[in-house]
Amino acid sequence: MNSPWRKSSRSTDQNPNCVEARSNERGFEVRDSKMGESSPVFGLREEDFTGLLRAAR
């Protein structure tokens, strides 16, 4: 089961170019927030998603 999409806290009206993420039974998924439902969805294992979050700081 997928959790709801969550938009990055860095996404604002002035800077909408961010990603959305959600968890599922296999790990996590990310997509482009600008594209919404038409965005490709990329699946990530938990350790890869954690690495992505660390790199974004």
Side-chain angles (χ1 to χ4, degrees), residues 25-36:
E25 61 277 352
R26 293 179 307 275
F28 294 88
E29 296 177 323
V30 294
R31 70 179 183 181
D32 185 328
S33 63
K34 293 185 314 297
M35 297 178 72

Side-chain angles (χ1 to χ4, degrees), residues 9-44:
S9 61
R10 295 182 183 185
S11 180
T12 65
D13 290 337
Q14 292 78 29
N15 183 25
N17 302 324
C18 287
V19 298
E20 294 176 309
R22 68 180 177 188
S23 63
N24 62 29
E25 61 277 352
R26 293 179 307 275
F28 294 88
E29 296 177 323
V30 294
R31 70 179 183 181
D32 185 328
S33 63
K34 293 185 314 297
M35 297 178 72
E37 294 297 322
S38 64
S39 175
V41 175
F42 299 95
L44 299 171

